[in-house]
Amino acid sequence: GNENSEFTTGTGYCKNCYLINSSEYCERCYYGKLIQSSKDIIDSSYTYDSEMLYECFNCEKCFGCYYSTNSKNCRDCYFAKNCTGCNNCFMCTNLVNKEYHFKNQPLSKEEYKKKLAESKLSDIAMVRKVQEYFHNYASTFPVKYAEILNSENCVGDFIINSKNCTLCYDVSDSENCKYVQLGVEVKNMMDCSNMYIRPEWCLETLGTIEVSNALYCLYVFHSRNLLYSEQCFSCQDCFGCVGLKNQKYCIGNKPYSVAEYESTVGKIIEHMKSTKEWGEFFPASLSPFGYNESVANDYLPLTEREAKERWFGWHDGENKNTYVGPFYKPLSIEQYDEKVVGYEVAQKNIDTLLAGIIECEVIKKPFKIIKQELVFYIENHLPIPTRHPDQRHRDRMSHRNPHELHERKCGECGANVISTYGENRPEKILCEGCYRKIIH
């Protein structure tokens, strides 16, 4: 159901999007992951019901925010962290319903605008400097033990509006789940990942939209009662099938009568039990990807030795790109703005930028700028990125903790909590009750 969004994966019902994944109902979104029901989002991940965001992570119902994390119902904020209901706040953390604040201190509207102008966020060097400063500044503030909001009986991290979700991560509007990573409106499932739009009763399955009773499957959509199947659409009662559409009672892509199907599947399952294959997901040996080039490495980083010990492949890192230059060095954003330098100069600079190739300042990988994102940068006075989209993704993922849980004690009342913050972290960890006291 996508429109003009060819270079996306794991997406549904998106329009005019580019290089996003695991996202639904989005429009004009570029470079991001898990963007839900949002518009005009660039270089952001885990954003919900939001609009006009840049370099944001885990934000819900936000508008016009930049370089912000773990925030909700905020507007026109820069470098905000753990803020709720805030407007026009800069380098603030743990604030609720505040306006015109700089480093958690109130300012007049005029003073705030002056501070914002002095920050010169159209300059990439200044942005890097502010990012480093804010990271160190925000780490001195207490944090909640986990990002769990409006949820009941849940253990994990980044859980929203959910109930009875144990050891789950990045789930919203879900219930009765265990060991689920990335789930939207999911119910009654275990050991699943990337499950979207009301899936139910699934086990050991990855990448679905609107399915029920799918076991040991990969990328199945609008289907039910599937076993060990992959890339099947609008199917039901299929076993060991690949690439089917609108089919019923198939084994290995071959149709059977209902009676034959049930009898044969029973025999196959008995055989798989004898070989100890039944109940296991597709083995790692079938993966065409190295562990270190898959998104699994985002959540559970492994060394090469650790990955190979688990029978995963490993990408040797050989750079197959033969392009060695020349590289284009972006100008200041003002040089692409016709309001500043005039139409002819701006258009010449724009044409040169869009035709040029930039070298990532970190991993030295070449990349390009597309016209749609450049328009966004000009309109919002943002600098041209100097890092490859892959590196920008890694930078965003650094905002989250590993998928590991630790028994901790609240830094105020001593209550036991289960947190993704390990004992060696410098932040002061608070339980839900104590955290609410400091932000209200």
Side-chain angles (χ1 to χ4, degrees):
N2 294 319
E3 180 181 343
N4 191 31
S5 302
E6 293 87 351
F7 294 96
T8 67
T9 183
T11 53
Y13 319 109
C14 292
K15 182 178 180 181
N16 299 328
C17 294
Y18 178 74
L19 287 181
I20 64 171
N21 69 85
S22 308
S23 303
E24 285 81 40
Y25 305 109
C26 296
E27 189 171 349
R28 296 184 303 277
C29 295
Y30 319 107
Y31 312 111
K33 176 173 184 171
L34 199 65
I35 306 172
Q36 301 287 327
S37 303
S38 298
K39 294 181 180 180
D40 299 301
I41 310 291
I42 294 186
D43 274 318
S44 299
S45 298
Y46 302 84
T47 63
Y48 310 86
D49 302 300
S50 297
E51 190 171 346
M52 292 288 292
L53 303 187
Y54 179 69
E55 285 288 4
C56 290
F57 184 85
N58 191 40
C59 290
E60 181 182 4
K61 296 180 180 178
C62 291
F63 179 88
C65 293
Y66 310 84
Y67 310 103
S68 297
T69 61
N70 302 343
S71 296
K72 181 180 180 181
N73 293 326
C74 292
R75 187 181 183 95
D76 299 324
C77 291
Y78 294 78
F79 299 97
K81 183 177 181 181
N82 300 330
C83 291
T84 301
C86 294
N87 297 328
N88 295 288
C89 290
F90 189 99
M91 285 204 292
C92 293
T93 186
N94 290 350
L95 293 187
V96 176
N97 298 331
K98 301 298 183 183
E99 188 175 23
Y100 296 113
H101 275 57
F102 178 80
K103 291 177 62 176
N104 282 31
Q105 299 300 314
L107 297 177
S108 68
K109 182 177 180 179
E110 293 72 22
E111 290 175 322
Y112 177 84
K113 289 186 176 296
K114 181 180 179 181
K115 282 283 188 182
L116 188 60
E118 291 173 349
S119 299
K120 298 180 180 178
L121 296 181
S122 63
D123 179 69
I124 191 67
M126 183 60 72
V127 169
R128 298 274 184 261
K129 184 176 180 180
V130 175
Q131 283 177 319
E132 182 178 3
Y133 177 87
F134 182 63
H135 172 76
N136 296 328
Y137 172 75
S139 65
T140 64
F141 286 77
V143 296
K144 192 168 73 168
Y145 72 100
E147 288 296 324
I148 300 177
L149 181 67
N150 296 332
S151 299
E152 178 183 347
N153 191 31
C154 292
V155 177
D157 207 9
F158 295 98
I159 301 174
I160 303 173
N161 304 327
S162 298
K163 181 179 180 181
N164 301 327
C165 292
T166 304
L167 300 176
C168 294
Y169 302 87
D170 308 306
V171 299
S172 60
D173 304 296
S174 303
E175 61 180 277
N176 303 331
C177 295
K178 192 172 186 178
Y179 307 128
V180 172
Q181 299 183 100
L182 288 180
V184 179
E185 299 180 77
V186 300
K187 290 184 179 181
N188 306 315
M189 60 180 57
M190 180 172 171
D191 283 319
C192 294
S193 182
N194 289 72
M195 312 292 285
Y196 301 105
I197 310 180
R198 299 176 295 280
E200 295 187 1
W201 300 107
C202 296
L203 174 67
E204 290 271 10
T205 289
L206 165 67
T208 68
I209 291 177
E210 287 189 304
V211 300
S212 65
N213 199 31
L215 282 66
Y216 321 115
C217 291
L218 177 65
Y219 303 130
V220 291
F221 307 92
H222 309 292
S223 300
R224 60 189 176 93
N225 303 334
L226 302 187
L227 295 167
Y228 287 103
S229 294
E230 180 178 353
Q231 297 283 359
C232 290
F233 304 84
S234 302
C235 294
Q236 71 175 69
D237 297 285
C238 292
F239 188 107
C241 294
V242 179
L244 293 187
K245 186 175 183 180
N246 298 319
Q247 298 295 318
K248 297 181 180 180
Y249 300 106
C250 292
I251 302 174
N253 286 26
K254 178 182 176 182
Y256 287 75
S257 68
V258 175
E260 287 177 324
Y261 175 83
E262 293 178 350
S263 174
T264 306
V265 167
K267 293 176 182 178
I268 294 174
I269 291 175
E270 287 304 314
H271 173 75
M272 292 181 70
K273 287 180 178 179
S274 69
T275 59
K276 298 184 179 180
E277 295 172 292
W278 176 251
E280 297 292 335
F281 191 70
F282 301 112
S285 59
L286 295 181
S287 174
F289 303 106
Y291 189 86
N292 56 322
E293 60 179 348
S294 74
V295 294
N297 204 44
D298 288 342
Y299 307 111
L300 298 170
L302 298 177
T303 64
E304 181 177 358
R305 189 185 74 174
E306 291 171 335
K308 290 182 175 179
E309 286 175 350
R310 292 163 172 80
W311 300 99
F312 291 114
W314 190 266
H315 181 57
D316 61 12
E318 179 185 354
N319 188 356
K320 297 179 181 179
N321 192 309
T322 58
Y323 185 81
V324 294
F327 292 103
Y328 176 79
K329 186 174 182 180
L331 306 173
S332 66
I333 194 62
E334 291 80 10
Q335 296 301 309
Y336 306 100
D337 189 346
E338 63 179 77
K339 297 178 182 178
V340 178
V341 297
Y343 176 80
E344 290 186 1
V345 174
Q347 195 59 51
K348 180 180 178 181
N349 291 338
I350 289 173
D351 292 342
T352 305
L353 170 61
L354 297 181
I357 297 177
I358 304 172
E359 184 179 40
C360 175
E361 64 184 6
V362 178
I363 59 176
K364 306 304 179 183
K365 203 172 180 179
F367 69 99
K368 291 176 70 71
I369 300 296
I370 63 173
K371 183 177 181 179
Q372 298 92 318
E373 63 173 308
L374 178 58
V375 171
F376 185 94
Y377 301 145
I378 295 172
E379 291 178 348
N380 293 278
H381 309 290
L382 298 169
I384 305 298
T386 54
R387 297 185 178 186
H388 189 279
D390 289 352
Q391 183 60 41
R392 280 147 33 202
H393 170 73
R394 295 187 187 105
D395 293 341
R396 287 193 298 276
M397 292 301 290
S398 69
H399 289 296
R400 64 174 306 136
N401 296 334
H403 283 188
E404 298 175 355
L405 295 174
H406 308 267
E407 294 184 358
R408 298 288 307 271
K409 290 187 178 294
C410 173
E412 284 294 328
C413 69
N416 294 323
V417 294
I418 299 178
S419 174
T420 54
Y421 289 90
E423 291 284 355
N424 60 336
R425 292 293 294 264
E427 299 91 345
K428 183 177 181 180
I429 308 302
L430 300 182
C431 67
E432 180 81 27
C434 291
Y435 182 76
R436 285 184 177 274
K437 292 177 182 178
I438 69 164
I439 65 171
H440 287 81

